[in-house]
Amino acid sequence: MTDKSYQPTIAGLRAFVAVAEKQHFGSAATTLGVSQSTLSQALSALEAGLGVQLIERSTRRVFLTAEGRELLPHAQAVIESVTAFTAAAAGTSDPLQGTIRLGLIPTVAPYVLPTVFAGLTDKLPGLTLRVIEDQTERLLTALREGSLDAALIALPAEAAGVTEIPIYDEDFVLALPPGHPLAGKRRVPPAELAQLPLLLLDEGHCLRDQALDFCRKAGVRAELANTRAASLATAVQCVSGGLGVTLIPQSAVPVEAARSRLGLAHFAAPCPGRRIGLVIRSSSGREGPYRRLAAMIGELVGADQQVRPAG
């Protein structure tokens, strides 16, 4: 009679399934990588605990009892579940073999995601990316709260409990209305911004803060345009329509210049720019895998865009 408090061991169930499937103790022991005596002990302990004979032993053959035939599918299901559980645990120990919830700021996402998606599919076939696009502060909040695993943002993040992994540096390019006198210039002095209506993104976008910071450091009091945009694509359309000028990151130039009539100019050195990197929770214990991911992203974006590895 079965003791209802008895809990079968995985070893006992594995022994039962192996013997039932192989119908030979020697072959079953070889499959499990154990000795025949260890196999027999595990099976006997299972039968004793259940109070049921599962295997009928003879000198020549191994038979499943009626009870064994009835219980075998249940034992197989348990072993399959344990195998799946172990595989899932192996995947969670390496985030690059599972699902990563990746945040990106709006001035990065549309310009690097096509390259990153295509490249990581080849480099990390076991990785699934879930993408969340949002402004920096909200991404950092989601990261700290655990609803994001990592975020691709402009550095420095200056956030407690966050580890920063620099990836690449890129220059800002001056976007101008078509036919503007500065279009095509390669060494535009920052002082020129004082004479131009500077169109900025809405508050909360780090690119807005970076543009204003550049003006401040250059000693330029920029004339701000009356128009503000919620996205870089909208800002570029406004520039194309003659409503002002704006700064766009180099990684955005190919996309925005292809779909808008723009004049482009480059600043004299030292050029304004930004550093993009990956941020993760310092407590995650997964800095190693995320540094590998950051290095892959850097290689992919660097090969496709005019950016420089972060020094």
Side-chain angles (χ1 to χ4, degrees):
M1 185 174 179
T2 303
D3 180 355
K4 292 184 179 179
S5 66
Y6 172 71
Q7 295 294 322
T9 65
I10 299 300
L13 292 173
R14 286 191 188 280
F16 170 44
V17 170
V19 171
E21 291 178 347
K22 297 296 182 180
Q23 296 193 358
H24 190 277
F25 273 81
S27 298
T30 300
T31 298
L32 296 180
V34 299
S35 67
Q36 286 194 49
S37 61
T38 298
L39 179 78
S40 295
Q41 290 171 8
L43 180 57
S44 296
L46 176 66
E47 291 177 318
L50 293 174
V52 173
Q53 183 179 352
L54 302 171
I55 300 293
E56 184 179 337
R57 303 152 177 84
S58 73
T59 55
R60 295 185 178 181
R61 295 188 60 186
V62 173
F63 298 91
L64 279 171
T65 64
E67 293 84 356
R69 286 193 299 273
E70 182 178 348
L71 293 175
L72 178 60
H74 300 286
Q76 291 170 323
V78 170
I79 298 304
E80 288 172 3
S81 294
V82 169
T83 302
F85 178 82
T86 304
T92 58
S93 66
D94 182 0
L96 306 189
Q97 297 299 317
T99 298
I100 289 179
R101 299 163 298 176
L102 179 66
L104 298 98
I105 55 176
T107 56
V108 167
Y111 310 112
V112 306
L113 272 181
T115 298
V116 169
F117 272 137
L120 292 184
T121 297
D122 293 332
K123 291 177 176 290
L124 297 170
L127 175 65
T128 300
L129 286 181
R130 286 180 52 198
V131 171
I132 297 89
E133 182 182 18
D134 211 334
Q135 294 179 5
T136 300
E137 284 306 313
R138 288 197 287 265
L139 291 179
L140 289 173
T141 297
L143 182 67
R144 286 191 292 263
E145 291 177 351
S147 56
L148 278 183
D149 299 307
L152 200 61
I153 65 173
L155 301 181
E158 298 180 341
V162 167
T163 296
E164 302 179 5
I165 307 172
I167 299 179
Y168 64 87
D169 296 324
E170 61 179 338
D171 294 336
F172 290 146
V173 177
L174 182 60
L176 303 152
H180 194 280
L182 291 178
K185 300 292 185 181
R186 302 295 302 179
R187 288 183 292 276
V188 175
E192 291 284 352
L193 284 177
Q195 313 301 321
L196 302 171
L198 183 61
L199 197 155
L200 298 175
L201 296 182
D202 283 338
E203 293 183 5
H205 287 277
C206 58
L207 185 56
R208 173 191 175 89
D209 298 332
Q210 291 157 355
L212 291 174
D213 188 54
F214 167 58
C215 293
R216 180 182 59 79
K217 289 179 178 177
V220 175
R221 184 178 178 83
E223 176 189 346
L224 301 183
N226 292 327
T227 301
R228 291 193 310 181
S231 71
L232 188 56
T234 299
V236 168
Q237 292 300 318
C238 291
V239 170
S240 180
L243 299 183
V245 305
T246 195
L247 302 185
I248 63 175
Q250 177 61 53
S251 58
V253 169
V255 172
E256 297 301 345
R259 66 187 179 190
S260 305
R261 296 173 58 248
L262 280 182
L264 299 172
H266 296 265
F267 289 98
C271 295
R274 66 180 183 179
R275 171 164 290 181
I276 298 298
L278 200 67
V279 293
I280 62 171
R281 287 185 302 281
S282 301
S283 61
S284 70
R286 295 179 172 182
E287 184 174 339
Y290 282 114
R291 285 195 177 276
R292 296 202 307 274
L293 177 62
M296 291 180 195
I297 292 174
E299 291 173 5
L300 293 168
V301 177
D304 189 62
Q305 308 276 8
Q306 294 181 32
V307 301
R308 304 175 301 279

